[in-house]
Amino acid sequence: MKTRIFISAFLVFLSCILYGQPTAKLYLSAESQSSQIRLRWAVDCPLTWQLANRYGYTLERVEILENQVVLEYPKRRIMNEVPIKPADTTVWIERFDLHQSYAILSQALFGEDFETSFQVESPLFQAVNQSQENEQRFSIALLAADQNFEAACLAGLGWIDSVVESHKTYLYRLYINTPDSLILGDTAKILISPSAPKSFPKITNIFSVTGDKSVFLSWDIKNFNGIYTDYIIEKSSNSRQFLRITELPLTISNDGTTAVFMDTLDLNDKPYYYRVRGINIFGTVGPVSDMVQVVGSPNFSAYPQDLTILENGKNVVLQWAFEENATQDISHFLVLHQSSMDAENAVLSRVSNRQRSFNLNLSKLEPSNYFTVVAVYQNGQERSSYPCFFQTIDSIPPAAPKGLLGFADSLGVVNLQWAKNTESDLDGYRVFRSNQRDQEVIQISKTLITDTIFFDTISTNTDKSVYYQVIAVDKRGNKSDFSAIAEVKRIQQFPPMAKLEDSIAAFSADMFEPLQSPRVTAFADRDNRKIVLSWNTSYPVSEVQIFRKKDDDDWRLLEIFSPTKNAYEDKKLEINSTYHYRLKLADDKRNHSPVSVPIRVVY
């Protein structure tokens, strides 16, 4: 006994040291129901709850309005003759069978102990242990009281005022009867009229997922927090007569936004109906939700097995096995194809549930192929085979590229172009260069080129030609023969001195004012998803050639056009990429400017 006195005194002393003198905080709610007003309250900490259980509450009612007119002399009345406290243990025992909240609250109020983590025989650790036990009792008691209003009243946390008049408005005041030396008192107040309108929201957006004789129901509860504390689930087999089945537990998501309920179904392939209603802390039941129909379905496990692929002349034959006793349960098979494991599945065909093979022409296949067969059951369930890989035998290289042409400008920029190959399995091109026609060529393209345009840069310090060739490569790595040689002549910026001295008169006669290289500016307009280029010139422009490369790629001709203004908008962009631009202009006499200095833009 002395130990318990010491622990209680120590807890009060500890609270005073940590927080100063403790202050009671009361929270009061009210709801009018026909000819009565129901009140519910709670405190904010275990110590206040324990003191309130010991000293009790006092509830006061003051009549404020009558027929919406303020009373000159408000009528005051103490509602309880004795302090409002938890009922005796014998009263609780009689109600255990009515609802689980009675047993839980009784255990929290009068149980001998709650299991805690500290078991050290020391006054200090016993005090900590007692504090943890009180917190557990307090939390469980409030939770149980929220589930059953009658049990909350029995625990001294609720009250029913049955002597009310609909044309009056009442002010209720609640306080704890504790001495000021133990805890600073708090008074909770609430104003309410029995005629106050009441409306409760309907539960909406109930989702269902069915399985083998089972169903999961879920609905969003974040909009009902503070309105409903529990939910009633009702079930029917004919959509007319519903029975409450909420004896089974509800699961609330970790973030407190979703309620989940699981139920078993007696039969598969038979419709069942569910609806949900919310309950608040006063036991008021909200309106029923829309009805949800569910149908359980067997969990089928048979799937296509032993998928094999055999070549048969110009065709390939897919074959698979499937349990014969499960054939009647499926609607059909789907034959799916992928060119790689990362590619999307394409449906090649839908075949009968009795069929166990499928023919496909070799010419329609990619170099690499993945096939899958899916069994589609009558109820919509699908069971898939494991993928089967098939690689076509292809040793035939693509044709050599044709139509290779190239020209160089005065700055040494070479523009190469050629005709596109027609092979369906073409992967790209590689570009080669040599300084002499009969010299071995060297590959100058860093990566496989998928376009038919390529830009190179050469020196202009000599008048010797440069020679280019291109090969095509398919997806199996087969390489074509070299294309025909394209000779590109260098354009010297300054003619040799000997020739200049011999023909200076002719050179002067033919010389024209050269076009200046354009000065280019650019900026990224991310709001409108574009890069804007602009340029300034001292001559009229009849043609603009825009070259672009991305990051470390090769230069490509982006567009050739006749401008209406000195600006261009590039909208074929990818986020977080770096682009480089160069411009080449032509006047109305078809004189071309040098290519502009590259400009870099980060998009």
Side-chain angles (χ1 to χ4, degrees), residues 326-391:
T327 300
Q328 61 183 4
D329 297 325
I330 66 171
S331 168
H332 56 275
F333 292 104
L334 293 177
V335 180
L336 308 182
H337 173 263
Q338 294 171 273
S339 59
S340 69
M341 289 299 291
D342 297 329
E344 291 187 6
N345 268 315
V347 178
L348 291 181
S349 181
R350 168 176 169 161
V351 300
S352 163
N353 63 343
R354 295 288 177 184
Q355 195 166 328
R356 300 293 185 269
S357 64
F358 177 74
N359 293 347
L360 186 65
N361 194 289
L362 267 172
S363 62
K364 297 182 178 181
L365 298 184
E366 301 286 341
S368 297
N369 304 270
Y370 294 86
F371 293 96
T372 309
V373 177
V374 179
V376 181
Y377 283 85
Q378 302 283 359
N379 63 1
Q381 291 186 32
E382 296 183 355
R383 296 293 180 266
S384 175
S385 70
Y386 291 105
C388 184
F389 177 70
F390 178 77
Q391 192 173 32

Side-chain angles (χ1 to χ4, degrees), residues 64 107 119 169 189 202 217 221 226 265 300 333 356 399 438 440 495 546 563-564 594:
I64 300 294
Q107 178 65 20
Q119 302 296 334
T169 300
K189 307 179 187 68
K202 181 173 71 172
L217 301 176
I221 64 172
L265 307 176
F300 296 109
F333 292 104
R356 300 293 185 269
D438 56 353
E440 183 179 354
I546 297 183
T564 58

